[in-house]
Structure formats: C-alpha cells, structure tokens
Amino acid sequence: MTQVKMTVNGKDASGDVEGRTLLAQFLRDDLGLTGTHIGCDTSQCGACVVHVNGEAVKACTMLAVEADGAEVATIEGQANADGSLNVIQQAFQDHHGLQCGFCTPGMVMSAAALLKENPKPTEADVRHYLDGNICRCTGYHNIVKAIMAASGQDVSAIAAE
Amino acid sequence: MYNFDVERPSTIQDAVKAMGREEAQPMSGGQTLIPTLKARLAAPSVLVSLTGIDEMKGVCLDDEGRVCIGGATTHATVAREAEAHYPALASLAARIGDPAVRNRGTIGGSIANNDPSACYPAGALGSGATIVTNNREIAADDYFQGMFETALEEGEIVTEVKFPVPTAAHYEKILQPASRFPLVAAFVAKFSDGVRVAITGASNDGVFRWAEAEQALSSNFSPDAVAGLSLDGSNMISDLHGTGAYRAHLCGVMTKRAVAAIG
C-alpha cells in the first residue's frame, strides 16, 4: 500500500491505496465522494470526469497514486459556497439537461472544463467537446442548451426543450 | 486488474533504472494501458509511470527546424503548442479520442504501443519522424514493424519524437463510430523533395507507407493522381466494422481527401 495525499475540492485528503487503485475508486470508496460515477469503466462514457490540476480527466482511467500531490475537483465541490447550484448546475436544471442523472456529474465537469478554456463556445464547439461524455436519455439537445445558457448566451433559438 | 507496484520516477535515468525490475512495464498516459490492465490482457509486476518526468514533456524546435515533442507530452499539449509550427500534426493530436483522453494520453505512449488504428503512427511515419529513445534514435521507417510491433527493445522508452516539417500536410480520417479510433486514416505530407503517405487503421501489419500513391503524388500533387490507384484488401483488417476490401477502398478515399484539403 502506498500513501497518497491530494487536495480534493480544496480540502486535504489522504489514504492508503494499492498500485491498481483507480482515482475514481479512491474518490468513491475511500473518500465517500460517490458523485463521481463509474459507468463504462473503459474510458468511453465520461461519467467519471473530474478535474486534476485544472484539466478534465477520466477518473476511471487514472491511478490514484498518479494523483498524489494533485489538486482534484469533483462534482461535490461545484456548488456555490452557500450550497446553491453553480451557474452550470443551475442551467442543467433550468433547461432540463438531464433525465436519469447518471451522466450528469461528468457532463457538468466537462462543461466546466470547456467553459474555462472557451467561455463563449458555439453549439458545434459544445457538441464536439462532449465527444467523450455519453448520455443515453436526453439526446443531448438540452445538455448542449444548458451549457450554452451557462455561458451566458441566448439559447432561445436552439431547438428542443 | 491484478495488482502491481507503481514507480514514479522524475528523470529518464531513474525510469530506465526502474524498468530494470522484473516484469516492469512503462506507462505514459495510460489511456490504452489501464483498460488493457483491467481486461487482464497485461499483468506487469511493476508499472513505471512516465508522467512525472519533466524532461520528457513539451514541444520545441531544434536547430534543423524539426518539431521535437517529449514522449510524455499529452495530445492536448501537442494540439496547443505544435499549432504554430506544424498545424497538420496539431490537428491530428486535437482529434484523438476526446478532451479528457487528450489530457492524459501521450505521444510516446501511442508511438510505443503502435496500435494498428492509432493516429500518431501515421503522423510519425508520414512525416518521416525520428523516434528518440533513452539510448538511440530510430527512423520512423525502421521503427514501425507491424501490428503492436516496434523496434523498441525490452525496457526501452520513447523519450522524444522529432518531426521534420513538410511544406504542407493533412491528416484525414473516417471514424469507427464505436471506438472513435480511425477506421482508416491517411496522413499526407508534401516535402520539397517528394510526398509521403502513411495509412493507419487498414493493414494487418499496422501503419504503412503507400508507395504508389507517394510516387503518383510526387509527380502530380492532385486528387486525380491517386484516383486510379488501388490497394489489395486481402491483407487488410476485416471485422464487423468493415471488410478488408472496404478498408482498401477507404485508403484511396482518405488519401484523395487529404490531398484535396492541402490543395
């Protein structure tokens, strides 16, 4: 077992892990942060997307030991300090950007990464960026709309509600 | 996944030393290797993580004007930092996998694995790149030796890849819709002394140069020059996504499109 220490959502976190322990497992099983979902476990679906040192990564395809010393952000740290939903989360609610919700943590984390590097994406930019986030309920329209709205753009012309 | 020890060296020298341990396996971004370990298709005793080696990261130009990319440089970094020097290569990197995969996956990992459908082998072979390891330099023409086969010896690590920059180049791929790997892709690079065409995703022998297309394009750089050419599909990958004959056909289509994109 190896001891790992990292910052998760701004707080110090540590634990003893095996070499094979995935970051997703460490977050969920050791830290109890079960908002990071494991969907496919083969790095296709994106339900496990978290940020490591500010970059979106698939937590099911990164070893926990490789996040030693890193700053990790998960869905649990996305809400505002007073507990209210952040802009992206609120936009998902306002625009019905989820149905079953399983993919939503990854969608929100990917959206946050996208808007950080591209604050005013086009609809095509959003769709392209979500290449690695699979949703089996919504058909993506409302997810795309929510992300466009979260970027402060007028979404009234975007079809499907 | 079976358990293993993880070594996290911070220098190439320490990585080579760690690779001396029994049943050691280097791992770069792990975007292929971790799924492989999960499927128990590999079971190393020691995993040597190359992601903490700063001397293996980054994009720069050398005295000969080649774009030199550290082996542990992520696709996302190449997409950003190679754009000004070699846009076709940056574009190739920007279209691998998805954003999260590009933030972890590296050029060294892709080149070392030599997946028959990977993008970087086409870019490296098509550019006539040089593969630099911890103890030698290997021309791309000698490096790629077949499906998942390379000139790398046991414990050898890809530390850098040096790309001569063509006057124009383009990477054209058609996606296999489930895996998002190329079903077939062509990297066409136009140099002052000739044209190189590398094809990935098609052959059972992995990435290869299409000599007839190179010849035809070197004397007449236009889509029409390759219109009459065809490849034999009998030694091409044949699976539920496409027959060998279909892939052989796509080689021509992708090459023509790449040439048309260059103009």
Side-chain angles (χ1 to χ4, degrees):
Chain A
M1 301 287 266
T2 309
Q3 195 190 37
V4 292
K5 289 182 183 174
M6 61 191 83
T7 308
V8 179
N9 300 327
K11 292 181 200 150
D12 290 339
S14 64
D16 292 321
V17 297
E18 290 185 318
R20 64 180 164 180
T21 304
L22 300 166
L23 178 58
Q25 293 171 324
F26 178 68
L27 293 170
R28 290 174 57 83
D29 302 343
D30 292 58
L31 304 183
L33 298 174
T34 53
T36 297
H37 290 171
I38 298 176
C40 67
D41 202 26
T42 54
S43 62
Q44 311 275 325
C45 81
C48 67
V49 169
V50 300
H51 299 178
V52 175
N53 294 329
E55 293 189 326
V57 304
K58 293 183 168 174
C60 82
T61 310
M62 179 172 179
L63 301 177
V65 291
E66 291 194 295
D68 188 37
E71 285 187 19
V72 178
T74 72
I75 189 67
E76 285 88 349
Q78 293 298 295
N80 298 318
D82 64 0
S84 61
L85 299 180
N86 79 3
V87 173
I88 298 169
Q89 292 170 311
Q90 189 60 53
F92 269 70
Q93 186 180 74
D94 292 345
H95 296 277
H96 196 189
L98 65 153
Q99 286 180 29
C100 86
F102 192 85
C103 72
T104 311
M107 288 289 179
V108 170
M109 297 310 287
S110 280
L114 165 65
L115 296 183
K116 196 177 85 172
E117 85 181 47
N118 184 0
K120 296 282 178 212
T122 64
E123 186 180 338
D125 290 339
V126 175
R127 290 184 184 278
H128 181 67
Y129 199 88
L130 294 181
D131 211 12
N133 290 83
I134 293 174
C135 170
R136 297 289 80 158
C137 306
T138 66
Y140 302 98
H141 289 303
N142 288 350
I143 292 172
V144 174
K145 197 169 187 177
I147 296 170
M148 295 291 286
S151 72
Q153 302 185 79
D154 178 16
V155 294
S156 52
I158 297 178
E161 181 76 58
Chain B
M1 200 165 16
Y2 294 111
N3 200 19
F4 41 75
D5 285 347
V6 180
E7 296 250 17
R8 298 185 73 207
S10 56
T11 64
I12 294 170
Q13 198 184 354
D14 286 350
V16 171
K17 201 170 137 195
M19 283 304 298
R21 291 181 61 182
E22 200 162 324
E23 289 181 35
Q25 161 80 47
M27 182 172 87
S28 203
Q31 300 304 284
T32 297
L33 185 53
I34 290 176
T36 305
L37 293 167
K38 287 180 183 179
R40 295 185 171 177
L41 296 171
S45 300
V46 185
L47 209 55
V48 180
S49 167
L50 306 177
T51 54
I53 305 175
D54 287 340
E55 60 185 311
M56 273 174 57
K57 292 181 188 173
V59 177
C60 65
L61 285 180
D62 72 2
D63 295 342
E64 296 171 39
R66 290 182 295 185
V67 175
C68 301
I69 303 175
T73 310
T74 63
H75 309 322
T77 302
V78 174
R80 276 194 306 270
E81 296 185 8
E83 173 65 26
H85 312 300
Y86 193 169
L89 187 69
S91 165
L92 176 151
R95 289 180 282 153
I96 296 171
D98 60 56
V101 167
R102 290 194 288 273
N103 282 335
R104 291 294 298 166
T106 70
I107 184 169
S110 173
I111 295 282
N113 191 45
N114 192 19
D115 187 294
S117 297
C119 297
Y120 263 124
L125 188 63
S127 304
T130 300
I131 318 300
V132 184
T133 76
N134 50 298
N135 60 21
R136 59 185 169 141
E137 298 201 349
I138 311 166
D141 285 324
D142 302 321
Y143 175 86
F144 298 103
Q145 300 189 343
M147 192 182 273
F148 297 110
E149 295 287 335
T150 69
L152 291 177
E153 284 167 12
E154 196 72 28
E156 200 171 5
I157 294 165
V158 175
T159 56
E160 192 179 25
V161 186
K162 297 178 177 177
F163 291 87
V165 181
T167 51
H170 187 80
Y171 180 60
E172 185 72 30
K173 68 175 170 181
I174 184 162
L175 292 179
Q176 195 263 71
S179 73
R180 304 295 175 91
F181 271 68
L183 184 61
V184 169
F187 193 95
V188 175
K190 188 180 177 190
F191 290 90
S192 54
D193 59 349
V195 176
R196 291 176 70 103
V197 178
I199 305 282
T200 188
S203 173
N204 279 322
D205 295 327
V207 68
F208 69 95
R209 284 175 68 186
W210 187 7
E212 292 81 5
E214 291 184 351
Q215 246 167 15
L217 290 168
S218 294
S219 50
N220 172 21
F221 195 81
S222 77
D224 291 343
V226 286
L229 301 179
S230 62
L231 282 160
D232 178 11
S234 62
N235 189 32
M236 295 218 170
I237 300 165
S238 208
D239 57 22
L240 78 167
H241 306 293
T243 61
Y246 179 58
R247 280 184 165 85
H249 173 69
L250 286 178
C251 295
V253 176
M254 293 301 108
T255 303
K256 269 189 281 188
R257 285 186 188 173
V259 172
I262 292 170

